[in-house]
Protein backbone atom coordinates (compact mmCIF):
# COMPACT_ATOMS: atom_id res chain seq x y z
CA UNK A 1 0.00 0.00 0.00
CA UNK A 2 1.26 3.46 -0.88
CA UNK A 3 2.33 5.65 1.98
CA UNK A 4 -0.31 8.20 2.98
CA UNK A 5 0.41 11.80 2.04
CA UNK A 6 0.82 14.33 4.83
CA UNK A 7 -2.19 16.55 5.43
CA UNK A 8 -0.60 19.81 6.50
CA UNK A 9 -2.55 22.37 8.45
CA UNK A 10 -2.63 25.98 7.23
CA UNK A 11 -2.04 28.29 10.17
CA UNK A 12 -4.31 31.27 9.65
CA UNK A 13 -5.66 34.25 11.55
CA UNK A 14 -8.84 34.26 13.63
CA UNK A 15 -11.05 37.31 13.04
CA UNK A 16 -14.75 37.62 13.80
CA UNK A 17 -15.19 33.86 14.19
CA UNK A 18 -13.62 33.08 10.80
CA UNK A 19 -10.15 31.91 9.82
CA UNK A 20 -8.93 34.20 7.02
CA UNK A 21 -5.44 34.39 5.61
CA UNK A 22 -3.76 37.73 6.05
CA UNK A 23 -5.23 40.43 3.83
CA UNK A 24 -1.63 41.21 2.84
CA UNK A 25 -1.00 37.63 1.73
CA UNK A 26 2.15 37.55 3.86
CA UNK A 27 3.36 34.61 5.90
CA UNK A 28 6.38 33.92 8.02
CA UNK A 29 8.33 30.68 8.27
CA UNK A 30 8.21 28.94 11.64
CA UNK A 31 11.41 26.98 12.08
CA UNK A 32 11.85 24.20 14.64
CA UNK A 33 14.78 23.84 17.03
CA UNK A 34 16.43 21.44 14.58
CA UNK A 35 16.26 24.07 11.84
CA UNK A 36 13.53 22.35 9.82
CA UNK A 37 10.48 24.24 8.54
CA UNK A 38 7.44 23.56 10.70
CA UNK A 39 4.91 25.72 8.91
CA UNK A 40 4.29 28.95 7.06
CA UNK A 41 2.09 30.99 9.38
CA UNK A 42 -0.09 33.92 8.37
CA UNK A 43 1.50 37.27 9.18
CA UNK A 44 -1.17 39.79 10.13
CA UNK A 45 -1.12 43.28 8.62
CA UNK A 46 -2.49 46.51 10.06
CA UNK A 47 -5.63 46.01 7.97
CA UNK A 48 -6.19 42.63 9.58
CA UNK A 49 -5.81 44.41 12.90
CA UNK A 50 -8.37 46.99 11.83
CA UNK A 51 -10.83 44.25 10.81
CA UNK A 52 -10.26 42.45 14.11
CA UNK A 53 -11.06 45.61 16.09
CA UNK A 54 -14.26 46.12 14.10
CA UNK A 55 -15.26 42.52 14.84
CA UNK A 56 -14.40 42.91 18.52
CA UNK A 57 -16.33 46.16 18.79
CA UNK A 58 -19.47 44.73 17.23
CA UNK A 59 -19.33 41.67 19.50
CA UNK A 60 -18.62 43.56 22.71
CA UNK A 61 -22.09 44.76 23.72
CA UNK A 62 -23.60 41.31 23.18
CA UNK A 63 -20.87 39.53 25.15
CA UNK A 64 -21.13 41.96 28.07
CA UNK A 65 -24.94 41.71 28.02
CA UNK A 66 -24.88 37.97 28.63
CA UNK A 67 -25.39 36.95 32.20
CA UNK A 68 -22.18 36.43 34.15
CA UNK A 69 -23.28 32.85 34.74
CA UNK A 70 -23.60 32.26 30.98
CA UNK A 71 -20.14 33.71 30.32
CA UNK A 72 -18.84 31.30 32.95
CA UNK A 73 -20.51 28.37 31.22
CA UNK A 74 -18.98 29.34 27.91
CA UNK A 75 -15.45 29.79 29.32
CA UNK A 76 -15.79 26.42 31.04
CA UNK A 77 -16.77 24.98 27.67
CA UNK A 78 -13.49 26.31 26.27
CA UNK A 79 -11.66 24.27 28.91
CA UNK A 80 -13.74 21.17 28.07
CA UNK A 81 -12.98 21.38 24.35
CA UNK A 82 -9.31 22.08 25.05
CA UNK A 83 -9.15 19.02 27.28
CA UNK A 84 -10.14 16.88 24.31
CA UNK A 85 -7.23 18.29 22.32
CA UNK A 86 -4.54 17.87 24.97
CA UNK A 87 -2.26 15.70 22.90
CA UNK A 88 -2.40 18.14 20.00
CA UNK A 89 -1.38 21.07 22.19
CA UNK A 90 1.42 19.05 23.80
CA UNK A 91 2.67 18.00 20.37
CA UNK A 92 2.65 21.60 19.12
CA UNK A 93 4.59 22.84 22.14
CA UNK A 94 7.12 20.08 21.62
CA UNK A 95 7.59 21.03 17.98
CA UNK A 96 8.47 24.52 19.18
CA UNK A 97 11.13 23.13 21.47
CA UNK A 98 9.39 22.62 24.81
CA UNK A 99 10.41 19.44 26.59
CA UNK A 100 7.76 16.67 26.86
CA UNK A 101 7.01 16.81 30.56
CA UNK A 102 7.09 20.60 30.62
CA UNK A 103 4.76 20.71 27.61
CA UNK A 104 2.29 18.34 29.26
CA UNK A 105 2.36 20.38 32.41
CA UNK A 106 1.88 23.67 30.56
CA UNK A 107 -1.17 22.36 28.69
CA UNK A 108 -2.75 21.03 31.86
CA UNK A 109 -2.18 24.28 33.69
CA UNK A 110 -3.64 26.24 30.76
CA UNK A 111 -6.81 24.14 30.80
CA UNK A 112 -7.08 24.49 34.58
CA UNK A 113 -6.66 28.23 34.21
CA UNK A 114 -9.69 28.45 31.91
CA UNK A 115 -11.70 26.52 34.49
CA UNK A 116 -10.46 28.76 37.28
CA UNK A 117 -11.40 31.98 35.49
CA UNK A 118 -14.71 30.50 34.28
CA UNK A 119 -15.66 30.12 37.93
CA UNK A 120 -14.91 33.75 38.66
CA UNK A 121 -17.38 35.11 36.10
CA UNK A 122 -20.34 35.32 38.48
CA UNK A 123 -18.25 35.90 41.62
CA UNK A 124 -15.63 38.56 41.04
CA UNK A 125 -18.15 41.44 41.20
CA UNK A 126 -18.62 40.70 44.88
CA UNK A 127 -14.91 40.87 45.46
CA UNK A 128 -13.99 43.84 43.27
CA UNK A 129 -17.15 45.83 43.92
CA UNK A 130 -17.65 47.75 47.15
CA UNK A 131 -20.30 49.48 49.17
CA UNK A 132 -18.70 52.75 50.24
CA UNK A 133 -19.54 54.67 53.35
CA UNK A 134 -20.13 58.33 52.53
CA UNK A 135 -20.93 61.38 54.63
CA UNK A 136 -24.48 61.90 53.44
CA UNK A 137 -27.83 60.17 53.00
CA UNK A 138 -26.67 58.10 50.00
CA UNK A 139 -26.02 54.55 49.07
CA UNK A 140 -22.69 54.51 47.30
CA UNK A 141 -21.57 51.54 45.24
CA UNK A 142 -18.48 50.93 43.17
CA UNK A 143 -18.88 48.24 40.55
CA UNK A 144 -16.46 46.72 38.03
CA UNK A 145 -17.56 47.01 34.40
CA UNK A 146 -15.84 45.75 31.27
CA UNK A 147 -13.49 48.28 29.67
CA UNK A 148 -14.59 47.38 26.14
CA UNK A 149 -12.26 46.24 23.39
CA UNK A 150 -8.95 45.06 24.82
CA UNK A 151 -5.76 44.51 22.85
CA UNK A 152 -3.50 41.84 24.29
CA UNK A 153 0.15 41.40 23.45
CA UNK A 154 0.92 37.87 24.57
CA UNK A 155 4.18 36.91 26.26
CA UNK A 156 6.60 34.79 24.21
CA UNK A 157 7.07 32.36 27.07
CA UNK A 158 5.24 30.43 28.28
CA UNK A 159 3.55 30.55 24.87
CA UNK A 160 0.29 28.77 25.55
CA UNK A 161 -0.08 29.38 29.26
CA UNK A 162 0.86 33.04 28.82
CA UNK A 163 -1.85 33.50 26.21
CA UNK A 164 -4.52 31.89 28.38
CA UNK A 165 -3.34 33.74 31.49
CA UNK A 166 -3.90 37.10 29.79
CA UNK A 167 -6.91 36.29 27.59
CA UNK A 168 -9.17 34.49 30.06
CA UNK A 169 -9.29 37.24 32.73
CA UNK A 170 -10.04 39.84 30.05
CA UNK A 171 -13.09 37.87 28.90
CA UNK A 172 -14.49 37.26 32.39
CA UNK A 173 -16.00 40.71 32.88
CA UNK A 174 -17.34 41.05 29.31
CA UNK A 175 -14.47 42.56 27.34
CA UNK A 176 -13.74 41.43 23.82
CA UNK A 177 -10.14 40.85 22.82
CA UNK A 178 -7.78 41.37 19.92
CA UNK A 179 -4.78 39.17 20.69
CA UNK A 180 -1.44 39.83 19.04
CA UNK A 181 0.79 36.86 19.35
CA UNK A 182 4.36 36.97 18.18
CA UNK A 183 6.38 34.54 16.13
CA UNK A 184 7.55 32.45 19.09
CA UNK A 185 4.56 30.13 19.54
CA UNK A 186 1.94 30.68 16.86
CA UNK A 187 0.94 27.00 16.59
CA UNK A 188 -0.76 26.81 19.95
CA UNK A 189 -2.28 30.26 19.44
CA UNK A 190 -3.99 29.12 16.24
CA UNK A 191 -5.11 25.89 17.89
CA UNK A 192 -6.45 27.96 20.79
CA UNK A 193 -8.46 29.91 18.22
CA UNK A 194 -9.90 26.65 16.90
CA UNK A 195 -10.91 25.69 20.43
CA UNK A 196 -12.56 29.09 20.98
CA UNK A 197 -14.36 28.81 17.64
CA UNK A 198 -15.95 25.52 18.68
CA UNK A 199 -16.86 26.46 22.25
CA UNK A 200 -19.97 28.66 21.91
CA UNK A 201 -17.85 31.80 22.23
CA UNK A 202 -19.64 34.27 19.92
CA UNK A 203 -17.69 35.31 16.81
CA UNK A 204 -15.62 38.45 17.35
CA UNK A 205 -15.27 38.05 21.14
CA UNK A 206 -11.80 36.60 20.64
CA UNK A 207 -9.63 37.53 17.67
CA UNK A 208 -6.12 36.16 17.33
CA UNK A 209 -3.50 37.63 15.02
CA UNK A 210 -0.16 35.95 14.49
CA UNK A 211 2.78 37.88 13.11
CA UNK A 212 5.27 40.63 13.71
CA UNK A 213 3.89 42.29 16.85
CA UNK A 214 6.43 45.09 16.71
CA UNK A 215 4.89 46.27 13.42
CA UNK A 216 1.33 46.03 14.68
CA UNK A 217 1.76 47.48 18.13
CA UNK A 218 1.81 51.19 17.11
CA UNK A 219 -1.43 50.66 15.17
CA UNK A 220 -3.03 48.90 18.12
CA UNK A 221 -1.93 51.56 20.60
CA UNK A 222 -3.02 54.37 18.26
CA UNK A 223 -6.39 52.83 17.44
CA UNK A 224 -9.09 55.11 18.81
CA UNK A 225 -11.62 52.30 19.16
CA UNK A 226 -9.47 50.16 21.46
CA UNK A 227 -10.08 50.86 25.15
CA UNK A 228 -7.22 49.02 26.83
CA UNK A 229 -3.98 47.33 25.87
CA UNK A 230 -2.25 44.63 27.84
CA UNK A 231 1.51 45.08 27.36
CA UNK A 232 2.54 42.09 29.43
CA UNK A 233 4.16 40.54 26.36
CA UNK A 234 5.93 43.71 25.26
CA UNK A 235 9.61 44.12 25.84
CA UNK A 236 10.33 46.33 28.87
CA UNK A 237 12.37 48.77 26.78
CA UNK A 238 9.44 49.56 24.46
CA UNK A 239 9.91 53.08 23.12
CA UNK A 240 8.05 55.75 25.07
CA UNK A 241 6.86 57.31 21.82
CA UNK A 242 5.03 54.09 20.90
CA UNK A 243 3.39 53.84 24.29
CA UNK A 244 2.45 57.53 24.11
CA UNK A 245 0.15 56.67 21.18
CA UNK A 246 -2.16 55.13 23.75
CA UNK A 247 -2.65 58.47 25.46
CA UNK A 248 -4.57 59.90 22.51
CA UNK A 249 -7.82 58.27 23.58
CA UNK A 250 -6.73 57.60 27.18
CA UNK A 251 -6.36 53.84 26.91
CA UNK A 252 -5.92 51.74 29.97
CA UNK A 253 -2.45 50.20 29.83
CA UNK A 254 -1.89 46.98 31.70
CA UNK A 255 1.35 45.27 32.54
CA UNK A 256 1.00 42.01 34.41
CA UNK A 257 2.74 38.68 34.84
CA UNK A 258 2.94 36.10 32.03
CA UNK A 259 1.94 33.31 34.39
CA UNK A 260 -0.48 34.70 36.92
CA UNK A 261 -3.80 33.61 38.29
CA UNK A 262 -5.62 36.12 40.42
CA UNK A 263 -8.99 37.87 40.61
CA UNK A 264 -7.03 41.13 40.62
CA UNK A 265 -6.03 40.41 37.02
CA UNK A 266 -9.74 40.39 36.17
CA UNK A 267 -10.04 43.77 37.86
CA UNK A 268 -7.11 45.08 35.83
CA UNK A 269 -9.29 44.70 32.74
CA UNK A 270 -12.25 46.48 34.33
CA UNK A 271 -13.37 50.04 34.83
CA UNK A 272 -14.64 50.86 38.29
CA UNK A 273 -17.86 52.82 38.18
CA UNK A 274 -19.38 54.49 41.21
CA UNK A 275 -23.08 55.12 41.68
CA UNK A 276 -24.69 57.47 44.19
CA UNK A 277 -28.28 56.76 45.14
CA UNK A 278 -30.34 58.70 47.70
CA UNK A 279 -31.43 56.77 50.74
CA UNK A 280 -35.24 56.60 50.84
CA UNK A 281 -37.29 57.04 54.00
CA UNK B 1 -27.03 47.40 -36.53
CA UNK B 2 -25.98 50.73 -35.14
CA UNK B 3 -22.26 51.30 -34.88
CA UNK B 4 -21.52 51.64 -31.19
CA UNK B 5 -20.09 55.01 -30.28
CA UNK B 6 -16.86 55.13 -28.25
CA UNK B 7 -17.48 54.17 -24.66
CA UNK B 8 -15.70 55.36 -21.58
CA UNK B 9 -13.93 52.78 -19.53
CA UNK B 10 -11.06 50.36 -19.78
CA UNK B 11 -9.89 48.79 -22.98
CA UNK B 12 -10.10 45.30 -21.58
CA UNK B 13 -13.74 45.75 -20.72
CA UNK B 14 -15.68 42.50 -20.91
CA UNK B 15 -18.69 42.88 -23.16
CA UNK B 16 -21.84 42.13 -21.23
CA UNK B 17 -24.26 42.12 -24.10
CA UNK B 18 -25.23 39.81 -26.87
CA UNK B 19 -25.46 41.70 -30.12
CA UNK B 20 -28.73 40.23 -31.38
CA UNK B 21 -31.82 42.39 -30.98
CA UNK B 22 -34.47 41.37 -28.50
CA UNK B 23 -36.93 38.77 -29.70
CA UNK B 24 -39.68 40.41 -27.70
CA UNK B 25 -42.07 42.18 -30.01
CA UNK B 26 -44.50 43.02 -27.24
CA UNK B 27 -41.96 45.13 -25.44
CA UNK B 28 -41.04 47.96 -27.82
CA UNK B 29 -40.84 51.22 -25.95
CA UNK B 30 -40.03 54.52 -27.58
CA UNK B 31 -38.01 57.26 -25.95
CA UNK B 32 -39.46 60.65 -25.12
CA UNK B 33 -38.05 61.94 -28.40
CA UNK B 34 -39.68 59.08 -30.29
CA UNK B 35 -36.65 56.82 -30.85
CA UNK B 36 -37.58 53.14 -30.92
CA UNK B 37 -35.42 51.47 -28.29
CA UNK B 38 -33.44 48.31 -28.82
CA UNK B 39 -33.43 46.24 -25.67
CA UNK B 40 -30.77 43.60 -25.99
CA UNK B 41 -30.52 40.57 -23.69
CA UNK B 42 -27.97 40.57 -20.88
CA UNK B 43 -25.03 38.20 -20.66
CA UNK B 44 -25.34 37.34 -17.00
CA UNK B 45 -21.98 35.61 -16.58
CA UNK B 46 -20.10 38.43 -18.30
CA UNK B 47 -21.99 41.02 -16.28
CA UNK B 48 -21.11 39.42 -12.96
CA UNK B 49 -17.48 38.93 -13.96
CA UNK B 50 -17.23 42.56 -15.04
CA UNK B 51 -18.93 43.79 -11.86
CA UNK B 52 -16.41 41.88 -9.78
CA UNK B 53 -13.46 43.65 -11.44
CA UNK B 54 -14.57 47.06 -10.10
CA UNK B 55 -13.81 45.92 -6.56
CA UNK B 56 -10.17 45.26 -7.37
CA UNK B 57 -9.06 48.83 -8.15
CA UNK B 58 -6.50 50.19 -5.77
CA UNK B 59 -7.49 53.64 -4.53
CA UNK B 60 -4.30 55.36 -3.42
CA UNK B 61 -4.18 57.58 -0.37
CA UNK B 62 -3.84 60.69 -2.51
CA UNK B 63 -7.15 59.99 -4.27
CA UNK B 64 -8.96 58.74 -1.22
CA UNK B 65 -9.97 62.11 0.15
CA UNK B 66 -11.39 63.18 -3.22
CA UNK B 67 -13.27 59.89 -3.52
CA UNK B 68 -14.72 60.27 -0.04
CA UNK B 69 -15.77 63.88 -0.66
CA UNK B 70 -17.37 62.86 -3.96
CA UNK B 71 -19.21 59.97 -2.31
CA UNK B 72 -20.51 62.28 0.43
CA UNK B 73 -21.73 64.83 -2.11
CA UNK B 74 -23.66 62.05 -3.91
CA UNK B 75 -25.46 60.74 -0.83
CA UNK B 76 -29.21 60.89 -0.38
CA UNK B 77 -29.12 60.81 3.41
CA UNK B 78 -32.09 58.64 4.19
CA UNK B 79 -34.40 57.89 7.06
CA UNK B 80 -37.43 55.81 6.17
CA UNK B 81 -38.69 54.40 9.44
CA UNK B 82 -42.16 54.23 10.87
CA UNK B 83 -40.70 55.73 14.03
CA UNK B 84 -39.24 58.85 12.38
CA UNK B 85 -39.94 61.98 14.38
CA UNK B 86 -39.59 65.66 13.41
CA UNK B 87 -36.65 65.82 15.82
CA UNK B 88 -34.85 62.97 14.12
CA UNK B 89 -35.43 64.47 10.67
CA UNK B 90 -34.17 67.86 11.91
CA UNK B 91 -30.98 66.21 13.21
CA UNK B 92 -30.58 64.37 9.91
CA UNK B 93 -30.92 67.65 8.00
CA UNK B 94 -28.27 69.36 10.11
CA UNK B 95 -25.94 66.47 9.48
CA UNK B 96 -26.75 66.60 5.76
CA UNK B 97 -25.82 70.28 5.55
CA UNK B 98 -22.66 69.98 7.64
CA UNK B 99 -21.64 66.31 7.88
CA UNK B 100 -18.79 66.97 10.30
CA UNK B 101 -19.08 70.04 12.55
CA UNK B 102 -15.29 70.10 12.98
CA UNK B 103 -14.44 70.13 9.27
CA UNK B 104 -15.98 72.75 6.97
CA UNK B 105 -14.13 71.34 3.95
CA UNK B 106 -16.46 68.36 3.79
CA UNK B 107 -19.23 69.02 1.25
CA UNK B 108 -22.90 68.71 2.13
CA UNK B 109 -24.77 65.64 0.91
CA UNK B 110 -26.99 65.87 -2.18
CA UNK B 111 -30.35 65.50 -0.48
CA UNK B 112 -32.19 64.12 2.49
CA UNK B 113 -34.70 61.38 1.73
CA UNK B 114 -37.78 61.09 3.94
CA UNK B 115 -41.40 59.97 3.97
CA UNK B 116 -43.96 62.53 2.66
CA UNK B 117 -45.20 63.29 6.17
CA UNK B 118 -41.71 64.55 7.09
CA UNK B 119 -41.21 66.73 4.00
CA UNK B 120 -42.26 70.03 5.68
CA UNK B 121 -39.76 69.39 8.48
CA UNK B 122 -36.97 68.59 6.04
CA UNK B 123 -37.77 71.63 3.90
CA UNK B 124 -37.65 73.85 6.97
CA UNK B 125 -34.23 72.62 8.10
CA UNK B 126 -32.60 72.58 4.66
CA UNK B 127 -33.92 75.96 3.50
CA UNK B 128 -31.18 78.16 2.09
CA UNK B 129 -28.74 75.27 1.70
CA UNK B 130 -27.75 73.29 -1.38
CA UNK B 131 -29.28 70.16 0.15
CA UNK B 132 -32.40 68.98 -1.66
CA UNK B 133 -35.40 67.25 -0.15
CA UNK B 134 -36.31 63.92 -1.66
CA UNK B 135 -39.53 62.26 -0.68
CA UNK B 136 -40.53 58.70 -1.31
CA UNK B 137 -44.13 58.82 -2.47
CA UNK B 138 -46.72 56.77 -4.27
CA UNK B 139 -47.49 54.18 -1.59
CA UNK B 140 -43.79 53.46 -0.97
CA UNK B 141 -42.42 50.79 -0.59
CA UNK B 142 -45.04 48.44 -2.09
CA UNK B 143 -46.76 50.78 -4.54
CA UNK B 144 -49.90 48.73 -3.95
CA UNK B 145 -52.44 51.53 -3.98
CA UNK B 146 -54.63 52.90 -6.73
CA UNK B 147 -52.95 55.31 -9.11
CA UNK B 148 -55.12 58.21 -7.98
CA UNK B 149 -54.05 57.72 -4.36
CA UNK B 150 -50.39 57.54 -5.39
CA UNK B 151 -50.67 60.67 -7.51
CA UNK B 152 -52.32 62.55 -4.64
CA UNK B 153 -49.41 61.41 -2.42
CA UNK B 154 -46.89 62.79 -4.91
CA UNK B 155 -48.75 66.08 -5.37
CA UNK B 156 -48.90 66.62 -1.63
CA UNK B 157 -45.15 65.99 -1.24
CA UNK B 158 -44.36 68.38 -4.10
CA UNK B 159 -46.70 71.01 -2.67
CA UNK B 160 -44.93 70.67 0.68
CA UNK B 161 -41.65 71.50 -1.04
CA UNK B 162 -40.02 68.22 -2.06
CA UNK B 163 -37.58 68.77 -4.92
CA UNK B 164 -37.22 65.08 -5.74
CA UNK B 165 -39.75 62.26 -5.71
CA UNK B 166 -38.86 58.56 -5.40
CA UNK B 167 -41.59 56.17 -6.60
CA UNK B 168 -41.74 52.42 -7.12
CA UNK B 169 -42.95 50.69 -10.28
CA UNK B 170 -45.84 48.25 -10.11
CA UNK B 171 -43.85 45.04 -9.99
CA UNK B 172 -46.96 42.90 -10.21
CA UNK B 173 -47.99 44.46 -13.50
CA UNK B 174 -44.43 44.40 -14.83
CA UNK B 175 -43.91 40.74 -13.96
CA UNK B 176 -47.22 39.76 -15.59
CA UNK B 177 -46.05 41.46 -18.77
CA UNK B 178 -48.36 44.46 -18.68
CA UNK B 179 -45.65 46.88 -19.79
CA UNK B 180 -48.04 49.50 -21.18
CA UNK B 181 -49.77 49.74 -17.84
CA UNK B 182 -46.45 50.28 -16.04
CA UNK B 183 -45.33 52.78 -18.68
CA UNK B 184 -48.54 54.81 -18.44
CA UNK B 185 -48.39 54.82 -14.65
CA UNK B 186 -44.86 56.20 -14.60
CA UNK B 187 -45.82 58.81 -17.17
CA UNK B 188 -48.79 59.92 -15.08
CA UNK B 189 -46.69 60.11 -11.94
CA UNK B 190 -44.01 62.07 -13.78
CA UNK B 191 -46.68 64.58 -14.76
CA UNK B 192 -47.76 64.84 -11.11
CA UNK B 193 -44.19 65.69 -10.11
CA UNK B 194 -44.22 68.99 -11.96
CA UNK B 195 -40.80 70.58 -11.51
CA UNK B 196 -39.63 67.99 -9.02
CA UNK B 197 -37.20 65.32 -10.26
CA UNK B 198 -38.58 61.82 -10.54
CA UNK B 199 -36.58 58.79 -9.41
CA UNK B 200 -38.11 55.48 -10.39
CA UNK B 201 -37.34 52.53 -8.13
CA UNK B 202 -37.27 49.23 -10.01
CA UNK B 203 -36.98 47.10 -6.85
CA UNK B 204 -34.55 44.83 -8.65
CA UNK B 205 -34.66 42.20 -5.92
CA UNK B 206 -38.19 41.39 -7.03
CA UNK B 207 -37.69 41.41 -10.80
CA UNK B 208 -36.07 38.00 -11.06
CA UNK B 209 -33.42 38.36 -13.77
CA UNK B 210 -30.99 40.79 -15.33
CA UNK B 211 -33.00 40.74 -18.57
CA UNK B 212 -35.99 41.96 -16.61
CA UNK B 213 -33.91 44.64 -14.87
CA UNK B 214 -32.63 45.91 -18.19
CA UNK B 215 -36.13 45.90 -19.62
CA UNK B 216 -37.53 47.76 -16.61
CA UNK B 217 -34.69 50.29 -16.80
CA UNK B 218 -35.44 51.06 -20.44
CA UNK B 219 -39.16 51.25 -19.73
CA UNK B 220 -38.72 53.66 -16.83
CA UNK B 221 -36.33 55.90 -18.76
CA UNK B 222 -38.64 55.98 -21.76
CA UNK B 223 -41.57 56.87 -19.53
CA UNK B 224 -39.80 59.92 -18.20
CA UNK B 225 -37.65 58.97 -15.20
CA UNK B 226 -34.94 61.51 -14.35
CA UNK B 227 -33.20 58.84 -12.30
CA UNK B 228 -33.59 55.10 -12.12
CA UNK B 229 -33.01 53.58 -8.70
CA UNK B 230 -32.15 50.04 -7.71
CA UNK B 231 -34.26 49.34 -4.69
CA UNK B 232 -36.31 50.56 -1.76
CA UNK B 233 -34.04 49.09 0.89
CA UNK B 234 -37.11 47.36 2.32
CA UNK B 235 -36.65 43.90 0.78
CA UNK B 236 -33.98 41.25 1.27
CA UNK B 237 -32.09 41.77 -2.00
CA UNK B 238 -30.88 45.35 -2.29
CA UNK B 239 -28.45 47.04 -4.59
CA UNK B 240 -25.50 44.95 -5.70
CA UNK B 241 -22.64 45.63 -8.07
CA UNK B 242 -24.03 43.46 -10.92
CA UNK B 243 -27.46 45.09 -10.62
CA UNK B 244 -25.95 48.57 -10.64
CA UNK B 245 -23.80 47.64 -13.64
CA UNK B 246 -26.82 46.27 -15.50
CA UNK B 247 -28.71 49.52 -14.92
CA UNK B 248 -25.69 51.70 -15.71
CA UNK B 249 -25.27 49.90 -19.03
CA UNK B 250 -28.96 50.46 -19.76
CA UNK B 251 -28.46 54.17 -19.05
CA UNK B 252 -25.39 54.25 -21.27
CA UNK B 253 -27.18 52.49 -24.12
CA UNK B 254 -30.23 54.69 -23.71
CA UNK B 255 -28.04 57.78 -23.93
CA UNK B 256 -26.33 56.39 -27.02
CA UNK B 257 -29.60 55.67 -28.75
CA UNK B 258 -31.49 58.80 -27.79
CA UNK B 259 -29.02 61.37 -26.55
CA UNK B 260 -31.05 61.73 -23.34
CA UNK B 261 -29.30 61.72 -19.98
CA UNK B 262 -30.72 59.74 -17.07
CA UNK B 263 -29.15 59.38 -13.61
CA UNK B 264 -28.61 56.31 -11.45
CA UNK B 265 -29.34 55.93 -7.76
CA UNK B 266 -28.13 52.89 -5.88
CA UNK B 267 -29.74 52.19 -2.53
CA UNK B 268 -29.93 49.62 0.20
CA UNK B 269 -27.10 47.84 1.98
CA UNK B 270 -24.36 50.35 1.11
CA UNK B 271 -22.75 50.92 4.49
CA UNK B 272 -19.01 51.15 4.05
CA UNK B 273 -16.73 53.65 2.36
CA UNK B 274 -15.18 50.80 0.43
CA UNK B 275 -18.53 49.83 -1.08
CA UNK B 276 -19.15 53.48 -1.98
CA UNK B 277 -15.99 53.82 -3.98
CA UNK B 278 -16.60 50.49 -5.70
CA UNK B 279 -19.77 52.10 -7.02
CA UNK B 280 -17.88 55.26 -7.99
CA UNK B 281 -15.45 53.12 -9.98
CA UNK B 282 -18.37 51.30 -11.60
CA UNK B 283 -19.97 54.57 -12.67
CA UNK B 284 -16.68 56.09 -13.82
CA UNK B 285 -15.76 53.10 -15.94
CA UNK B 286 -19.23 52.44 -17.35
CA UNK B 287 -20.77 55.88 -17.84
CA UNK B 288 -17.70 58.09 -17.66
CA UNK B 289 -16.66 60.98 -15.45
CA UNK B 290 -19.66 63.02 -16.65
CA UNK B 291 -21.85 60.85 -14.44
CA UNK B 292 -19.72 61.32 -11.32
CA UNK B 293 -21.77 64.23 -10.06
CA UNK B 294 -24.76 64.44 -7.72
CA UNK B 295 -26.87 65.48 -10.71
CA UNK B 296 -26.43 62.07 -12.28
CA UNK B 297 -25.43 59.68 -9.52
CA UNK B 298 -26.80 59.17 -6.03
CA UNK B 299 -26.26 56.76 -3.20
CA UNK B 300 -29.24 56.22 -0.92
CA UNK B 301 -27.84 55.48 2.52
CA UNK B 302 -27.85 56.38 6.19
CA UNK B 303 -24.98 54.70 8.05
CA UNK B 304 -22.63 55.10 5.06
CA UNK B 305 -22.02 58.75 5.90
CA UNK B 306 -20.58 57.86 9.30
CA UNK B 307 -18.21 55.34 7.79
CA UNK B 308 -17.01 57.89 5.24
CA UNK B 309 -16.39 60.36 8.08
CA UNK B 310 -14.43 57.71 9.97
CA UNK B 311 -12.25 57.15 6.91
CA UNK B 312 -11.59 60.89 6.73
CA UNK B 313 -10.59 60.87 10.39
CA UNK B 314 -8.15 58.07 9.59
CA UNK B 315 -6.66 60.18 6.78
CA UNK B 316 -6.41 63.23 9.04
CA UNK B 317 -5.04 61.63 12.19
CA UNK B 318 -3.25 58.55 10.87
CA UNK B 319 -5.11 56.55 13.49
CA UNK B 320 -7.94 54.10 13.02
CA UNK B 321 -11.15 55.50 14.40
CA UNK B 322 -14.36 53.98 15.71
CA UNK B 323 -18.10 54.52 16.03
CA UNK B 324 -17.63 56.51 19.25
CA UNK B 325 -16.23 59.40 17.20
CA UNK B 326 -19.24 60.11 15.00
CA UNK B 327 -22.80 61.03 15.86
CA UNK B 328 -25.38 58.38 16.66
CA UNK B 329 -28.21 58.81 14.18
Amino acid sequence: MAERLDVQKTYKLFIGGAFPRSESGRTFALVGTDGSLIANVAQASRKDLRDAVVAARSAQAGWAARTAYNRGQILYRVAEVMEGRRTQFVEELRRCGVEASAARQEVERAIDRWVWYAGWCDKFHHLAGTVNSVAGPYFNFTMPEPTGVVGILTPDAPGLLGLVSRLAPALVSGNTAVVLTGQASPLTAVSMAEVVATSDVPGGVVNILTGETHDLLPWLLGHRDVNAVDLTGASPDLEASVVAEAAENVKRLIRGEPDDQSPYVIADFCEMKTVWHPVGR
Amino acid sequence: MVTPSPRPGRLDEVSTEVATPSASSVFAPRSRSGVALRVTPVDEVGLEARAKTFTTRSIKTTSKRAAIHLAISCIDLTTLEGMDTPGKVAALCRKAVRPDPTDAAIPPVAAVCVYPQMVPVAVKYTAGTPVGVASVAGAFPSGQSSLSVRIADIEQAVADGASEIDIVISRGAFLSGDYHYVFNEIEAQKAACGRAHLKVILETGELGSFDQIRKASMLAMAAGADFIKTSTGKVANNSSMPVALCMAEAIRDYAEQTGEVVGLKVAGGIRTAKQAWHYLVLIGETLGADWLTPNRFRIGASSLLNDLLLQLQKLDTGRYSGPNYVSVD
Side-chain angles (χ1 to χ4, degrees), chain B residues 152-166:
Chain B
D153 198 15
I154 293 168
E155 285 171 346
Q156 181 65 53
V158 173
D160 285 343
S163 53
E164 302 168 14
I165 298 291
D166 291 25

Side-chain angles (χ1 to χ4, degrees), chain A residues 12 16 24-25 52 65 175 188 227 277:
Chain A
K12 297 192 282 187
S24 63
N175 296 301
T188 46
N227 305 108
H277 192 285

Side-chain angles (χ1 to χ4, degrees), chain B residues 146-203:
Chain B
S146 72
L147 184 59
S148 58
V149 169
R150 280 181 278 158
I151 285 178
D153 198 15
I154 293 168
E155 285 171 346
Q156 181 65 53
V158 173
D160 285 343
S163 53
E164 302 168 14
I165 298 291
D166 291 25
I167 62 158
V168 288
I169 62 166
S170 295
R171 279 88 74 199
F174 181 84
L175 290 172
S176 50
D178 203 346
Y179 303 123
H180 289 284
Y181 178 83
V182 178
F183 186 95
N184 293 338
E185 266 194 352
I186 297 173
E187 229 175 13
Q189 292 178 89
K190 168 70 182 167
C193 285
R195 292 169 60 98
H197 274 223
L198 177 68
K199 303 196 200 103
V200 177
I201 304 170
L202 308 181
E203 196 67 298

Side-chain angles (χ1 to χ4, degrees), chain B residues 229-247:
Chain B
K229 174 174 166 185
T230 56
S231 37
T232 60
K234 300 288 185 194
V235 298
N237 288 324
N238 287 310
S239 180
S240 67
M241 294 292 284
V243 163
L245 177 59
C246 181
M247 290 171 64

Side-chain angles (χ1 to χ4, degrees), chain A residues 85-105:
Chain A
R85 292 206 192 199
R86 270 170 69 167
T87 48
Q88 179 197 343
F89 278 100
V90 170
E91 178 59 27
E92 284 171 343
L93 283 178
R94 292 199 60 191
R95 288 173 76 187
C96 292
V98 181
E99 198 189 314
S101 63
R104 209 164 38 245
Q105 202 191 17

